[in-house]
Amino acid sequence: MKAPYRKIKVILPPPPPHMVGDGFRVHNFFPHYDEIGMTGMSPFFLLDYGSKFLFPPSGTPRGVGVHPHRGFETVTIAYHGSVAHHDSAGNSGVINEGDVQWMTAGAGVLHKEYHEKEFSKKGGMLQMVQLWVNLPAEYKMTPAKYQAIENRSMGRVSLGDMNGEAEIIAGEYKGVRGPATTFSPLSVFNLILKEGGKADLAFPSDQNTCLLVIDGDIKLNEEKTVPENSLALFSPEGESILVEGLKESKILVLSGMPIKEPISAYGPFVMNTKSEIQEAFDDFYNGKFGYLED
């Protein structure tokens, strides 16, 4: 007998967009929505989704200037356009369509993100996701590091000629692992479905799970339609999820074991206590995050 489908808690439309710096127009799904808040998708703390937006040419690359982070990881996924990164740990890189940059801020790092120089000169469509992934307390002060994940290095799972494929960034799907290393159990991957294509998912019921529709429209569990740019949040009831592409579709799948620890977050820092937040500010102002030219 087939196991019952996992219950869909809510389908959320994209919140009104806002600008991050002058280069990223984003919809903040969480912690914006009360249904999710700071803990409803733990270990994922924040999801900023930059839906398709056409930027005109610019001689000065748009973006976000130098700023600090501590206590978590930033994961940037490029769907259209090119994004450049520099940080005070000496890491730099450019991600193009399909690529990912996974930065562990850990004990502290300064970084900046902006449109890649040639993309900025020509202008074009930008579509991207940035996630903040919380770190367990024992890893919050881990040394900063950077993972550059090109699309070609991702794990791939064929769903069959009539269905599509999956691109595995982190975690595992159908026995195939993604290249990203993580500090807690989680899965991050793209489903790319043909019209009428189907994919079956299964995550432990005690993991927090959601799907973000990047392109197309989908049907979940043979009943609920989720339009483009919308997010489906699941309840901790059941494990099996059936995804069907009502047209050619791309879906970001997120699932992870919640970190059941206190959270104290302020601005660019995600820690466990208010005193740790104050310490982060003190260390930043005292130059302990290193140096990075703006």
Side-chain angles (χ1 to χ4, degrees):
M1 182 177 177
K2 186 177 177 62
Y5 290 128
R6 185 162 185 165
K7 185 176 179 182
I8 301 165
K9 180 178 181 179
V10 66
I11 295 171
L12 300 168
H18 67 276
M19 293 298 296
V20 177
D22 65 356
F24 302 102
R25 175 185 176 273
V26 302
H27 311 270
N28 177 247
F29 277 97
F30 53 84
H32 168 86
Y33 273 113
D34 290 341
E35 292 91 338
I36 305 177
M38 290 196 300
T39 59
M41 267 304 297
S42 177
F44 306 98
F45 177 81
L46 174 146
L47 190 161
D48 272 347
Y49 170 51
S51 58
K52 293 174 186 172
F53 188 78
L54 186 62
F55 282 91
S58 174
T60 302
R62 299 176 175 88
V64 183
V66 175
H67 58 284
H69 287 309
R70 173 179 279 182
F72 63 99
E73 303 181 283
T74 67
V75 180
T76 305
I77 308 170
Y79 291 101
H80 288 283
S82 299
V83 178
H85 161 95
H86 281 83
D87 67 43
S88 58
N91 301 301
S92 64
V94 174
I95 55 172
N96 299 303
E97 182 174 336
D99 298 339
V100 175
Q101 59 184 22
W102 195 301
M103 186 190 77
T104 304
V109 73
L110 306 177
H111 82 143
K112 58 182 179 180
E113 299 165 288
Y114 47 94
H115 299 183
E116 185 274 332
K117 187 176 180 180
E118 292 304 314
F119 172 77
S120 184
K121 284 181 180 179
K122 296 176 182 177
M125 186 76 70
L126 186 66
Q127 185 185 27
M128 48 78 71
V129 163
Q130 184 167 95
L131 301 165
W132 289 13
V133 182
N134 192 19
L135 290 170
E138 63 179 311
Y139 297 118
K140 282 195 175 293
M141 297 299 285
T142 195
K145 73 172 185 176
Y146 179 79
Q147 301 177 73
I149 303 170
E150 293 185 339
N151 187 263
R152 63 184 178 180
S153 72
M154 294 177 186
R156 277 184 158 70
V157 176
S158 173
L159 303 173
D161 291 342
M162 302 299 292
N163 293 309
E165 69 170 352
E167 299 174 336
I168 318 304
I169 300 166
E172 181 179 319
Y173 179 54
K174 295 188 180 296
V176 176
R177 294 200 63 82
T181 60
T182 68
F183 289 85
S184 63
L186 57 86
S187 295
V188 180
F189 57 88
N190 291 310
L191 287 178
I192 302 168
L193 297 180
K194 298 180 180 179
E195 183 175 352
K198 295 181 180 180
D200 58 291
L201 310 175
F203 299 106
S205 59
D206 56 352
Q207 287 196 4
N208 290 321
T209 303
C210 72
L211 305 181
L212 175 64
V213 182
I214 302 295
D215 284 306
D217 300 305
I218 65 171
K219 181 178 282 187
L220 290 178
N221 298 345
E222 302 178 295
E223 59 166 348
K224 295 285 188 180
T225 298
V226 187
E228 187 170 283
N229 300 332
S230 298
L231 182 140
L233 177 69
F234 293 86
S235 296
E237 301 170 47
E239 296 183 354
S240 177
I241 299 168
L242 180 64
V243 187
E244 178 183 357
L246 299 179
K247 56 178 74 169
E248 288 191 5
S249 301
K250 182 174 289 186
I251 306 101
L252 176 62
V253 179
L254 304 175
S255 189
M257 192 66 66
I259 299 172
K260 297 180 179 179
E261 298 172 350
I263 289 180
S264 182
Y266 192 91
F269 306 130
V270 181
M271 302 301 289
N272 297 108
T273 66
K274 288 183 178 179
S275 63
E276 289 172 340
I277 293 290
Q278 185 59 57
E279 182 182 5
F281 275 105
D282 291 344
D283 288 348
F284 166 59
Y285 289 126
N286 288 324
K288 293 184 179 180
F289 284 36
Y291 173 77
L292 184 64
E293 186 177 349
D294 206 343

